[in-house]
Amino acid sequence: MGNFHLEEKIIEIVERALVEDIGSGDVTTMAVIGDEGIEAEAEFVSKDEGVVAGIDVVWFVFRALDPSLNFIPFLSDGDEVKKGDIIGIVKGDVRSILTVERTALNFLQRMSGIATLTRKFVKAVEGTKAKITDTRKTAPGLRLIDKLAVEIGGGVNHRFGLYDMILIKDNHIAIAGGVEKAIERCLRFIKEKNLDLKIEVEAQSVEDVEKILKVGGVDRILLDNFNIDDLKRAVDLIGERFEVEASGGITLENVREVAETGVDYISVGMLTHSVRALDISLEIKV
C-alpha cells in the first residue's frame, strides 16, 4: 500500500470492525472447535462478475486478529473477476479463520461492489474528458474504505470531509443572502486564516451560473440537477474559466449524455450510498 498514514487509518478501521464483531469471543467456534489447534485452508471464491477491491484491507484483517495466518491473494485490487474464480486463500488455525471470516468478507464484498459499479460508470464515459467522482454519501466510519474502493474502480475522490475543501451549497447561499455574499465570505475566510483550500460553489440554474461568473474567485462550479440543455448552456458559459461538475440524478443510463456536454467531473452518490456487495464466499477445504 505504501502510504504509512493511510495504513494506520485502515488498521484503526479494521480493529474497530473486529471489536464490533467478536466482542468477548466467538462462542460458536469456541463451542464447536474448543482448544484444538486444527490447521486449515480456505478459499475466497467469487460467485459474481465484477472488480476485486479490498485485498490489502483483508490482509490487515487477518494480521490484526492472528499474525500467524497466511493470506495468499491470487488477484490484485482492480482486477476483474468472473463467477467461480478463486480470489485468494488463507491458511492457518481454523479457529482464527472462522472467527475472522465475516469481517474479512464484509470489507472485500463491499469494496468490490463499489469498485465494480465505479468501473461501469468509468467505462460508460470513456472517450470524454469527464471523470467519475464520489460524494460524502458513505457508510459512517467507512469513508476511507469506500473512497479507496472508488479509486480502485477507476474513479477519483471528491473531498474527504468538511475540512479539506469549501463547498458552498444552496443552504449556505440562502443563509448568506445570495451566492455573491457567500463567495465573498469564503474568500475572506481563506485569506484571514491563511488557508490553502479550493472553493466549489453549487448552481441550481443557468442564472446562478451567470451570478457566479460575475463574482469569480472559485475553482469549480457544481451544476446540480441540470437538464441536458441547461448543462450545455452552462458549460458554454463557463468555458475554461473554472472546472465544471455535474451532479444529481446520474445513472448508468444517462451518464454518457451528461459527459458529452463537456463537464470535467460527474459526481455519483450511488457509488457508495446504495452499492450492491459483490457476492464472495470463504469456503474451508475439508
Side-chain angles (χ1 to χ4, degrees), residues 50-81:
V51 176
V52 174
I55 295 295
D56 287 341
V57 178
V58 168
W59 184 84
F60 281 119
V61 172
F62 287 131
R63 191 179 73 170
L65 181 81
D66 182 351
S68 71
L69 290 174
N70 184 20
F71 176 49
I72 306 168
F74 296 158
L75 298 173
S76 301
D77 283 340
D79 286 348
E80 296 191 358
V81 67

Side-chain angles (χ1 to χ4, degrees), residues 4 9 43 48 55 67 79 94 107 130 138 166 207 213 216 236 240 250 275-276 279 283:
F4 177 72
K9 291 176 181 177
E43 298 175 336
D48 213 342
I55 295 295
D79 286 348
V94 72
F107 282 116
T138 54
I166 288 178
E207 290 72 28
L213 292 174
D236 288 343
E240 299 297 322
I250 307 296
V275 67
R276 183 182 73 82
D279 191 359
E283 301 175 4

Side-chain angles (χ1 to χ4, degrees), residues 14-24:
V14 163
E15 289 177 345
R16 287 199 303 269
L18 287 170
V19 169
E20 176 183 61
D21 198 37
I22 299 170
S24 59

Side-chain angles (χ1 to χ4, degrees), residues 57-210:
V57 178
V58 168
W59 184 84
F60 281 119
V61 172
F62 287 131
R63 191 179 73 170
L65 181 81
D66 182 351
S68 71
L69 290 174
N70 184 20
F71 176 49
I72 306 168
F74 296 158
L75 298 173
S76 301
D77 283 340
D79 286 348
E80 296 191 358
V81 67
K82 300 186 298 296
K83 186 176 181 179
D85 285 351
I86 299 174
I87 296 169
I89 60 174
V90 57
K91 300 178 181 181
D93 190 325
V94 72
R95 293 169 299 182
S96 296
I97 294 174
L98 288 170
T99 299
V100 82
E101 172 185 0
R102 177 41 53 197
T103 302
L105 282 172
N106 282 348
F107 282 116
L108 188 62
Q109 290 177 311
R110 180 176 177 82
M111 292 184 69
S112 295
I114 291 171
T116 297
L117 184 58
T118 302
R119 182 72 55 85
K120 290 178 180 178
F121 272 95
V122 170
K123 285 185 176 180
V125 302
E126 279 182 349
T128 72
K129 69 174 182 177
K131 295 180 176 66
I132 300 298
T133 187
D134 49 31
T135 68
R136 286 168 46 237
K137 297 173 183 176
T138 54
L142 293 181
R143 180 163 298 166
L144 176 64
I145 296 296
D146 285 359
K147 283 182 172 282
L148 180 58
V150 168
E151 275 196 320
I152 291 169
V156 298
N157 295 146
H158 205 287
R159 59 178 181 163
F160 269 75
L162 297 172
Y163 53 87
D164 59 349
M165 180 183 189
I166 288 178
L167 176 47
I168 308 169
K169 303 198 77 175
D170 54 349
N171 284 332
H172 301 112
I173 292 168
I175 293 168
V179 68
E180 300 93 340
K181 291 181 180 178
I183 294 173
E184 288 167 0
R185 289 180 184 181
C186 289
L187 289 170
R188 186 164 60 248
F189 176 82
I190 287 175
K191 184 176 181 181
E192 290 173 353
K193 302 295 183 181
N194 193 28
L195 298 173
D196 182 19
L197 291 175
K198 288 190 173 182
I199 298 177
E200 180 171 6
V201 59
E202 180 182 280
Q204 295 187 318
S205 66
V206 174
E207 290 72 28
D208 285 347
V209 171
E210 291 171 342

